Amino acid sequence: MDRSRIAVLLSGRGSNFLSIHSAIEDGRIPARIVAVISDRESAPGLARARELGLEATAVPRKGLPSREAHEQSILEQLRRSGAEWVCLAGYMRLLTPAFVSCYPQRILNIHPSLLPSFPGLRAQAQALEHGVRISGCTVHLVDEQLDSGPIVLQRSVELRPGDSETSLAKRILKAEHRAYPEALNLLLSSSWRVEGRRLIVDEEAPVEAR
Ligand code: GRF
C-alpha cells in the first residue's frame, strides 16, 4: 500500500503527534511521518520525535527577519522532506494565506472545541465560561482563517458539574487522541471532496441507507 508522506508541526508537548505516530505504527493510517518541525527548540514533542528516530527540526522565529521568512524556512524543510500533508498538532502560530496555498486542502488541524464554537486560545475555558453542556474537539482542513476550514470529524465531550479548565481539557484531549488519527485515516483512505464549507466523503452512506 502507498503510504502518504506526513509532516507534523508542533510547538509544545506533542501528545497529538504521538497519537498519530502510534496509529501509523499500528497500521491504522497508511502514512509515514517524514518530518516533525517545531518553532520551539525546547518543545517536548520535538525531543520525543528525535527519540523515535524521526527527522525532527527546530525552526525558531527568533533570528529571522519576518513572519514570511520564518514560513519560507519551514516550507523549505517541508519540500526537502517531500511531505504531501501537513498536520498541525498544537502549532501555536497562524499560517499566512501564502503558506496555506502551498498545500491546498492538505493541511489539517485539531482544535479542542466543537467549532465554530470557541475558536482561538483557551477553547476549554471559553466553553466553561459560556456554560455549554457539551463541548469536544474538531479536526478540520486549514484555510486562510483561524480555526475555520472544512470540518473532517468532531467528537463530543460532556461537561461535568465541578469541571475546571484542566479537568475538561484532559477529557477533551483523550477524545482528540482518537479523533486525529481517525480523521487522517479517513482523508487518506477514502475519496472525498469539498463543496462550499462541507467535506463530502464519497463512501459515506446517507443516513436513510444505513
Ligand atoms: C491540543 O489541545 C490541540 O487541540 C490544540 O493544542 C493542544 C496541543 O496538545 N490545538 P499536544 O501538544 O498535542 O499535546
Side-chain angles (χ1 to χ4, degrees):
M1 189 196 290
D2 267 0
R3 296 207 286 162
S4 303
R5 299 169 73 88
I6 306 287
V8 178
L9 261 61
L10 55 81
S11 300
R13 115 196 111 174
S15 69
N16 277 291
F17 145 61
L18 290 172
S19 78
I20 293 171
H21 179 263
S22 303
I24 290 175
E25 293 292 295
D26 295 351
R28 285 183 281 133
I29 309 177
R32 75 190 173 97
I33 297 176
V34 293
V36 177
I37 299 171
S38 178
D39 57 329
R40 295 198 192 142
E41 177 63 71
S42 60
L46 196 63
R48 206 53 204 106
R50 289 193 177 118
E51 284 165 17
L52 290 165
L54 297 170
E55 195 65 46
T57 319
V59 183
R61 165 73 177 80
K62 219 176 147 194
L64 291 166
S66 63
R67 184 180 177 204
E68 286 71 24
H70 183 232
E71 286 195 342
Q72 277 311 317
S73 183
I74 292 174
L75 283 168
E76 176 78 6
Q77 295 289 337
L78 289 175
R79 285 193 196 108
R80 210 174 293 161
S81 71
E84 300 158 300
W85 284 83
V86 179
C87 293
L88 307 181
Y91 185 66
M92 299 307 286
R93 286 174 189 276
L94 252 183
L95 301 175
T96 65
F99 187 107
V100 174
S101 71
C102 294
Y103 291 89
Q105 297 182 355
R106 289 290 181 280
I107 308 178
L108 270 174
N109 183 40
I110 187 153
H111 183 76
S113 75
L114 294 176
L115 291 171
S117 290
F118 317 127
L121 293 174
R122 299 191 59 202
Q124 304 92 335
Q126 292 185 55
L128 268 174
E129 268 153 39
H130 194 92
V132 294
R133 303 289 181 165
I134 297 176
S135 191
C137 63
T138 304
V139 183
H140 65 95
L141 294 174
V142 172
D143 65 10
E144 291 73 20
Q145 274 131 50
L146 175 70
D147 299 329
S148 111
I151 291 169
V152 182
L153 189 149
Q154 293 185 300
R155 289 288 173 259
S156 62
V157 171
E158 282 189 26
L159 274 80
R160 292 178 187 159
D163 251 338
S164 63
E165 183 181 358
T166 312
S167 65
L168 178 60
K170 204 168 157 189
R171 287 206 310 289
I172 293 179
L173 192 64
K174 266 195 179 168
E176 292 182 43
H177 293 163
R178 290 191 297 271
Y180 212 161
E182 203 182 316
L184 187 54
N185 183 50
L186 180 78
L187 293 179
L188 298 182
S189 312
S190 17
S191 107
W192 53 271
R193 65 191 187 280
V194 172
E195 280 179 14
R197 282 208 43 85
R198 296 173 61 211
L199 185 127
I200 319 271
V201 180
D202 290 339
E203 292 93 302
E204 228 167 30
V207 172
E208 307 88 290
R210 278 184 192 149

